């Protein structure tokens, strides 16, 4: 559970903290650091125990179930309760939850207070839906998510709660999907709401919020561009958004959790965009021209975000691969949009090969980065890219047992090689430590 | 200079105040037509019962739910109300096939002009992208449109919530061919809300 001083201290796992305590004691005993320095170092970090995490999860689950229970009880819509009384119950529940939260804060019980505020935010969502029930409204349902999201983000920022922030970010993500379902036009409100959510995430130093909220940018381009799904700028734009999100991570310190969150979001978007782009049918169906201002703006902004990341130092193989991918995707999108090469028979094949190669390049670069920097996240992402490549290419030759067999044997061998390399890296690290 | 940092209890109170302001604003915005609007009666059909978390409701449909600015097809089961398109309205694209989806209209706000019919109930007569002066305008959102001129529109008067179990009764009443009408309050902005549902002229709630 988030506490008010959480922004000042970095959260690490209990195992990392006990390692740091053990090692710093050894450094102190070897006179490398004095006790004051050791205390100052340890004071920079905090850990959440597994027990506390479990308690937090159960408390939040209870809050969620309580809110849904109240929603269903009011949803029963007992005729005996007058309309005004129903509104009073719904609104009173929100007021009571936040008043109790304030009381708990005043009594120096930040955990209880935050849970109550979380409960209040859920009840606030209930209230939005139940007002619709009381007034017989079946209206524009994405607006309910929009206002719930705005309120939740404001609450998260005010009570400094990462959990409420994550709830708000999830509601923003759902809102983007609901808007896409309701209308064919992308909502301009996103241009305000997304930076607001990201701003709250930075204010709370919450990587969880970034992870939930960052992919919403790609989802917005996805739904906003469905009318132009026949142009290369649609899937290309989404891939460039992935590169841009990854590029944003490079403006953070190497070990920053926020950097990890941007990078993992960008890689997820890139992977999801690459899967269809490895199929030749997709490229065959693309037509020249017909790009909306939204897709153009999204693609340009993302390409610029990825491009300016070049200016950052300490590049890893994964960084270079993402930047190379951004350039390749931009060139392909412009070439496809212009229609200059559309009549060329090899264009579809070249584009399919290009994205298959890019997926493999990403896989290799991420695995190399993992080995060089000892980051398991990069290893997982690299293997995910490799498996995506394998699945798509296997689908294209699944009728042919000979080639299918060879491909799977090669894949099995490569995967075992990666495992061996990763284990070797672990031994090397252990050797260096001893 | 020290930055003002409000205490945690104050911030929790502010968070609650923001949530209540949003709910209050929505409540006033939605209830406004009920407070200030002009009441009209429209014939309703019950399209079925739905249940989800906030409660059970019947889906209502009026003559304004499905409109057409083109020629109504005689051999079609769907009842479309023919209306006149009043400027400003979307210009049809001659290059498009007649029954393809009109994505330009989906999600757009439109205004349907109502006029009293022979039985005194209000029916749609025309449609426009802007409110028409001196007419009774009903504001809606297009949820589905075809290039042939067919429009499906939501007005916020498409659901009537009832106590759990009672929606089925209302559906049965409708199947018995009894007269179901909806009493709608329409504000000057065109926004509408259901004031009540009438069965043979008797309010349900």
């Amino acid at each position: 559970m988030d506490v008010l001083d959480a922004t000042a201290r970095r959260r690490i796992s209990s195992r990392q903290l006990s390692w740091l305590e053990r090692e710093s004691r050894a450094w102190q005993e070897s006179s490398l650091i004095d006790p004051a320095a050791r205390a100052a170092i340890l004071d920079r970090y905090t850990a959440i125990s597994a027990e506390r995490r479990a308690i937090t999860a159960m408390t939040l689950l209870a809050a969620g179930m309580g809110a849904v229970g109240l929603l269903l009880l009011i949803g029963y819509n007992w005729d005996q309760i007058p309309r005004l009384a129903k509104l009073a119950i719904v609104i009173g529940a929100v007021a009571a939850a936040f008043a109790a939260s304030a009381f708990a804060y005043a009594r120096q019980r930040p955990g209880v207070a935050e849970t109550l505020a979380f409960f209040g935010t859920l009840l606030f969502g209930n209230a939005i839906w139940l007002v619709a029930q009381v007034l017989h409204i079946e209206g524009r349902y994405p607006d309910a998510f929009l206002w719930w999201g705005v309120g939740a983000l404001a609450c998260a920022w005010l009570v400094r709660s990462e959990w409420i922030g994550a709830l708000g970010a999830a509601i923003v993500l759902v809102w983007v999907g609901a808007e896409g379902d309701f209308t064919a036009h992308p909502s301009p409100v996103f241009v305000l709401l997304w930076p607001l959510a990201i701003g709250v995430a930075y204010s709370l130093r919450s990587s969880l919020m970034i992870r939930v909220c960052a992919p919403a940018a790609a989802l917005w381009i996805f739904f906003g561009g469905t009318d132009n799904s026949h142009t290369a700028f649609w899937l290309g734009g989404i891939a460039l958004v992935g590169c841009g999100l990854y590029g944003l991570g490079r403006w953070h310190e190497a070990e920053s959790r926020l950097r990890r969150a941007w990078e993992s979001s960008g890689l997820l978007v890139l992977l999801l965009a690459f899967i269809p782009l490895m199929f030749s049918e997709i490229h065959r169906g693309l037509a020249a021209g017909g790009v909306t201002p939204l897709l153009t703006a999204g693609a340009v902004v993302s390409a610029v975000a990825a491009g300016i990341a070049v200016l950052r130092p300490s590049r890893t193989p994964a960084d270079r691969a993402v930047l190379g991918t951004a350039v390749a995707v931009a060139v392909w999108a412009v070439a496809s949009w212009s229609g200059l090469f559309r009549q060329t028979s090899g264009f579809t094949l070249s584009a399919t090969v290009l994205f298959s190669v890019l997926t493999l390049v990403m896989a290799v670069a991420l695995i190399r980065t993992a080995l060089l920097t000892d980051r398991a996240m990069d290893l997982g992402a690299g293997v995910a890219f490799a498996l995506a490549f394998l699945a798509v290419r296997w689908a294209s030759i699944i009728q042919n047992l000979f080639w299918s067999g060879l491909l799977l044997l090669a894949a099995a061998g490569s995967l075992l090689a990666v495992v061996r390399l990763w284990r070797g890296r672990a031994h090397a690290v252990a050797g260096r430590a001893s | 200079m020290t930055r003002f940092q409000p205490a945690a209890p104050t911030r929790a109170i502010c968070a609650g105040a923001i949530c209540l302001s949003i709910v209050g604003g929505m409540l006033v915005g939605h209830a406004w037509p009920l407070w200030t609007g002009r009441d009209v009666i429209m014939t309703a059909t019950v399209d079925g019962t739905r249940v989800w978390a906030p409660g059970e409701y019947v889906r209502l449909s009026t003559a304004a739910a499905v409109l057409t600015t083109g020629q109504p097809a005689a051999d079609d089961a769907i009842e479309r109300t023919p209306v006149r398109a009043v400027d400003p309205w979307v210009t049809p694209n001659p290059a498009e096939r007649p029954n393809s989806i009109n994505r330009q209209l989906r999600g757009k706000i439109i205004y349907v002009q109502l006029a009293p019919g022979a039985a005194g109930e209000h029916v749609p007569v025309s449609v426009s992208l802007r409110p028409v002066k001196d007419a009774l305008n009903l504001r809606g959102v297009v949820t589905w449109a075809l290039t042939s001129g067919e429009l499906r529109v939501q007005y916020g008067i498409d659901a009537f919530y009832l106590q759990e179990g009672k929606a089925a009764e209302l559906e049965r009443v409708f199947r018995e061919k009894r007269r179901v009408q909806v009493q709608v309050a329409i504000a000057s902005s065109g926004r509408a809300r259901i004031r009540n549902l009438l069965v043979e002229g008797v309010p349900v709630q």
Side-chain angles (χ1 to χ4, degrees), chain B residues 82-106:
Chain B
V83 286
R84 196 164 35 89
V86 176
D87 273 342
W89 188 242
V90 286
T91 318
N93 183 355
E96 283 183 332
R97 285 183 293 119
N99 265 328
S100 58
I101 295 169
N102 185 342
R103 290 186 184 276
Q104 290 308 305
L105 263 175
R106 190 170 152 230

Side-chain angles (χ1 to χ4, degrees), chain A residues 144-210:
Chain A
F145 287 113
L146 170 67
W147 287 110
W148 188 11
V150 168
L153 290 173
C155 290
W157 180 71
L158 280 164
V159 301
R160 318 298 303 160
S161 165
E162 185 180 23
W163 290 104
I164 299 176
L167 174 69
I171 296 166
V172 169
L173 194 66
V174 172
W175 169 73
V176 172
E179 274 287 343
D181 172 55
F182 194 82
T183 170
H185 311 285
S187 172
V189 178
F190 180 84
V191 180
L192 295 174
L193 190 60
W194 192 71
L196 173 75
I198 297 296
V200 174
Y202 272 87
S203 163
L204 301 173
R205 309 284 303 160
S206 169
S207 59
L208 178 64
M209 278 187 74
I210 300 275

Side-chain angles (χ1 to χ4, degrees), chain A residues 4 71 75-79 91 98 102 106 124 129 133 135-139 155 158 160 181-183 185 227, chain B residues 9 11-12 15-16 19-20 23 30 52-55 59 103-104 106 154 156 158-164 166 205:
Chain A
L4 293 178
L71 177 76
Y76 176 73
N77 201 5
W78 197 21
D79 281 345
I91 293 170
F98 280 102
F124 162 58
W129 295 107
Q133 182 228 63
L135 296 177
H136 302 297
I137 300 161
E138 166 75 349
C155 290
L158 280 164
R160 318 298 303 160
D181 172 55
F182 194 82
T183 170
H185 311 285
D227 277 0
Chain B
R11 283 190 266 125
C19 291
L20 291 176
V23 174
H30 288 311
W52 75 299
R59 275 205 69 82
R103 290 186 184 276
Q104 290 308 305
R106 190 170 152 230
Q154 266 192 5
D158 320 283
F160 192 81
Y161 286 86
L162 292 147
Q163 183 177 312
E164 190 178 355
K166 294 199 172 175
Q205 280 184 341

Side-chain angles (χ1 to χ4, degrees), chain A residues 246 260 263 267 316 318 362-363 365-371 373-384:
Chain A
Y246 185 95
R260 293 276 174 282
E263 287 177 348
L267 291 172
T316 62
M362 283 301 307
L366 282 163
I367 291 168
R368 274 196 66 204
T369 304
L371 294 169
T373 59
D374 194 26
R375 292 197 318 216
M377 183 203 92
D378 288 327
L379 181 74
V383 171

Side-chain angles (χ1 to χ4, degrees), chain B:
Chain B
M1 203 171 88
T2 319
R3 271 178 63 194
F4 173 68
Q5 290 281 356
T10 312
R11 283 190 266 125
I13 292 290
C14 289
I18 287 174
C19 291
L20 291 176
S21 307
I22 291 173
V23 174
M26 293 182 93
L27 188 61
V28 170
H30 288 311
W32 193 254
L34 294 171
W35 297 337
T36 65
R38 175 183 159 185
D39 278 15
V40 297
I41 303 285
M42 297 175 83
T43 300
T45 55
V46 178
D47 288 346
T49 305
R50 304 274 193 287
V51 184
W52 75 299
E56 185 176 292
Y57 64 94
V58 284
R59 275 205 69 82
L60 298 173
S61 179
T62 63
V66 187
L67 307 170
T68 181
T69 55
Q71 290 296 316
D75 57 340
D76 205 324
I78 302 168
E79 270 190 38
R80 304 178 185 91
T81 307
V83 286
R84 196 164 35 89
V86 176
D87 273 342
W89 188 242
V90 286
T91 318
N93 183 355
E96 283 183 332
R97 285 183 293 119
N99 265 328
S100 58
I101 295 169
N102 185 342
R103 290 186 184 276
Q104 290 308 305
L105 263 175
R106 190 170 152 230
K108 269 222 182 306
I109 289 168
I110 60 164
Y111 292 86
V112 175
Q113 288 72 50
L114 302 177
E121 293 170 335
H122 279 72
V123 288
V125 288
S126 58
V127 62
S128 178
L129 291 174
R130 296 264 178 279
V132 173
K133 205 178 168 193
D134 299 329
L136 180 59
N137 293 285
L138 179 61
R139 185 182 187 270
V141 181
V142 178
T143 56
W144 177 261
L146 293 176
T147 47
S148 58
E150 181 181 320
L151 305 166
R152 285 164 198 251
V153 193
Q154 266 192 5
Y155 303 95
I157 55 169
D158 320 283
F160 192 81
Y161 286 86
L162 292 147
Q163 183 177 312
E164 190 178 355
K166 294 199 172 175
E169 276 178 44
L170 197 69
E171 221 182 321
R172 184 178 49 77
V173 163
F174 178 72
R175 277 201 304 271
E176 288 169 358
K177 306 283 182 202
R178 289 165 70 184
R179 191 161 50 114
V180 178
Q181 294 167 307
V182 62
Q183 185 183 8
V184 178
I186 305 174
S188 56
S189 64
R191 288 177 193 272
R193 292 290 170 255
I194 295 177
R195 193 177 295 283
N196 216 327
L197 197 65
L198 314 171
V199 176
E200 300 291 356
V202 180
V204 169
Q205 280 184 341

